[in-house]
């Protein structure tokens, strides 16, 4: 399969000449008076397009449009909002191949993964449509006679969304689809490394909103640098900030939002492990570890960083895994025969090489050597070789998250030891065990087992479905996005009591007679 990137960008209404305005409140209002941002592809190093970023005046215009739109949008019945989100999902279906290719070219993940990411957007729209008729509260029994109590949920207002480069469209959709049906309006600050994906999404969304006479400001994007994020996180007009990124970034965002008593939804770093039991199906385990470690070139927050292997099967599993790594095809992600694409940029390549150097200094033994790749067909790109090292769990480099395809193998003898190794890192996003032993799997899922927000049995650490709440514990931030009851973070809860009698009894039997 071949791709004409220029044709794809044209269909997505992204300009390749001049400067794309990177700030928008809807179909007709695009601007961007800040510095010009260049988007380079990690696939071949070429400049894709230029994007205008937000100045402070642009930001204020966006905030004004969003706050005004909220007064109208919140009054639309939730099922009507759901109908509009359904149309957004249908529009995404029309442009799935083009948007998937843009994700692949601007971010570097394989075309199959790009399509999968757009499918996640479609799926969350479908989920949100059903949810729009299920924003349930509770009816409670009052201790006072002739009183009724219930709980209901109201929209928050403006939701600020800060996303990372590795999922340049899906994470935005997880937030917006739910926030929209809850009655909120959204302002999106995408990663500076993947700005064109945000413009394409805004074009698609704005087209649907305009057809339905939705006021401009319900969906806004503001491309820019860290200053834009600071404006959002310190703005009292933004009651909720949903931020995806590093733990370092999350500490800054969480602290700033807490200072003004706002709400934050944080999806931060992961240092995910797979336990391979002596009772595992080895074919499944190899497949799960391989995709978890090298998918998206190790740049998923759920990427597998550590494999904790029982001593009885350690050597056999290591041999099979090394053989599987030898079959990996690395190259242009738009070539569907390649399984591994590039890292996002030169800085990521540098961090990768430094992590390998640090690992070797700490005593890690590399059984599949890493290195930067720059051979034929890889010119100008940011390609590296996925590598494997035997290591100790207490090594500093193993305790850290490196956003690159570096995998550490660790040996264990008892399930309790394996569990302690897995949980013995600051992060707590995703985890998995491969075992056909019922007691081991139940132990792994019990309160004594995995301390992560995601715990899987006989599947890897990557590939969460939108029906379940996504997020982690500890330095991963504690946030939950996407399915289950994650919608509640986008709303404020209110308890209501109605006295329909002719007297005024007080709670707890208190007497207050004049």
């Amino acid at each position: 399969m071949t791709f004409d990137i220029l044709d794809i960008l044209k269909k997505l209404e992204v300009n390749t000449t001049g400067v794309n305005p990177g700030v928008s409140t809807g179909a007709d209002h695009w601007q961007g008076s800040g510095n010009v941002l260049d988007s380079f592809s990690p696939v071949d190093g070429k400049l894709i397009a230029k994007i205008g970023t937000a100045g402070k005046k642009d930001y204020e215009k966006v905030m004004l449009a969003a706050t005004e739109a909220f007064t109208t949008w919140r009054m639309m019945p939730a099922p009507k909002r759901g109908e509009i989100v359904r149309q957004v999902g249908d529009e995404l279906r029309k442009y799935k191949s083009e948007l998937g290719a843009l994700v692949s070219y601007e971010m570097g993940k394989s075309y199959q993964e790009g399509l999968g990411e757009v499918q996640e957007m479609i799926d969350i729209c479908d989920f949100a449509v059903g949810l729009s008729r299920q924003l349930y509260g509770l009816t409670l029994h009052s201790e006072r006679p002739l009183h009724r109590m219930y709980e209901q949920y109201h929209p928050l207002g403006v939701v600020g969304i800060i996303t990372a480069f590795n999922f340049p469209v899906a994470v935005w959709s997880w937030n917006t689809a739910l926030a929209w049906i809850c009655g909120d309006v959204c302002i999106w600050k995408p990663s500076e490394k993947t700005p064109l994906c945000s413009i394409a999404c805004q074009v698609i969304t704005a087209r649907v909103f305009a057809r339905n006479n939705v006021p401009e400001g319900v969906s806004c994007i503001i491309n820019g640098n860290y200053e834009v994020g600071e404006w959002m996180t310190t703005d009292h007009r933004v009651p909720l900030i949903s931020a995806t990124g590093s733990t370092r970034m999350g500490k800054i965002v969480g602290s700033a939002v807490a200072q003004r008593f706002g709400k934050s939804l944080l999806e931060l770093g992961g240092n995910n492990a797979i336990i391979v039991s002596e009772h595992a199906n080895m074919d499944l385990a190899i497949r799960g570890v391989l995709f978890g470690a090298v998918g998206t070139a190790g740049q998923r927050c759920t990427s597998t960083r550590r494999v904790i292997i029982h001593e009885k099967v350690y050597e056999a599993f290591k041999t099979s895994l090394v053989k599987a790594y030898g079959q990996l095809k690395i190259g242009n992600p738009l070539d569907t025969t390649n399984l591994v694409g590039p890292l996002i940029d030169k800085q990521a390549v540098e961090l990768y090489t430094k992590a390998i150097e640090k690992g070797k200094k700490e005593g890690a033994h590399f059984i599949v050597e890493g290195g930067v790749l720059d051979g034929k067909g890889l010119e100008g790109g940011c390609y590296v070789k996925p590598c494997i090292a035997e290591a100790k769990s207490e090594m500093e480099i193993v305790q850290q998250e490196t956003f690159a395809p570096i995998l550490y193998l660790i040996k264990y003898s008892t399930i309790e030891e394996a569990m302690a190794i897995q949980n013995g890192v600051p992060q707590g996003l995703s985890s998995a065990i491969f075992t056909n032993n019922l007691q081991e799997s139940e132990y792994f899922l019990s309160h004594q087992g995995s301390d992560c927000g995601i715990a899987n049995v006989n599947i890897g650490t990557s590939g969460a479905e939108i029906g379940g709440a996504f997020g982690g514990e500890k330095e991963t931030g504690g946030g939950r996005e996407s399915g289950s009851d994650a919608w509640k973070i986008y709303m404020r809860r209110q308890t209501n009591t109605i006295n329909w009698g002719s007297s005024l009894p007080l709670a707890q039997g208190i007497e207050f007679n004049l």
Side-chain angles (χ1 to χ4, degrees), residues 287-337:
R287 186 177 178 85
V289 169
L290 187 66
F291 177 72
V294 307
T296 323
Q299 295 172 111
R300 290 179 175 228
C301 50
T302 55
S303 289
T304 305
R305 313 281 178 207
R306 300 172 293 145
V307 188
I308 305 163
I309 310 165
H310 193 276
E311 58 188 6
K312 290 184 179 179
V313 295
Y314 183 87
E315 292 299 328
F317 186 85
K318 179 177 70 172
T319 299
S320 297
L321 188 61
V322 170
K323 182 180 179 181
Y325 265 59
Q327 299 172 11
L328 290 175
K329 293 183 178 181
I330 306 167
N332 188 323
L334 290 172
D335 180 344
T336 54
T337 63

Side-chain angles (χ1 to χ4, degrees), residues 66 96 124 126 148 155 157 207 255 260 263 323 333 368 371 381 401 403 405 417 430 449 457 512:
K96 179 178 176 179
I124 196 66
D126 289 347
R148 180 166 67 90
R207 188 183 299 129
S255 177
R260 59 179 177 84
K263 299 170 71 175
K323 182 180 179 181
V368 174
E401 178 189 40
F403 231 51
E417 180 188 3
S430 187
V457 176
F512 192 73

Side-chain angles (χ1 to χ4, degrees), residues 376-387:
K376 184 178 180 181
L378 306 179
E379 297 89 353
C382 300
Y383 299 92
V384 300
K385 188 180 178 183
C387 56

Side-chain angles (χ1 to χ4, degrees), residues 42 165 192-193 248 299 343-355 381-382 384 402-404:
F165 72 86
E192 297 167 69
K193 300 179 181 182
R248 182 191 64 80
Q299 295 172 111
L343 295 180
I344 186 63
D345 56 21
K346 299 298 182 184
Q347 182 183 13
V349 174
E350 183 180 355
L351 291 173
Y352 159 86
T353 56
K354 287 183 177 179
C382 300
V384 300
T402 302
F403 231 51

Side-chain angles (χ1 to χ4, degrees), residues 22 156 161 212 281 283 315 347 354 410 414 427 458 472 491 493 498:
L156 285 173
I161 303 166
N212 288 273
N281 179 319
D283 290 337
E315 292 299 328
Q347 182 183 13
K354 287 183 177 179
I410 304 167
T414 67
Q427 310 84 359
N458 291 332
M491 305 192 85
R493 178 156 52 177
I498 300 170

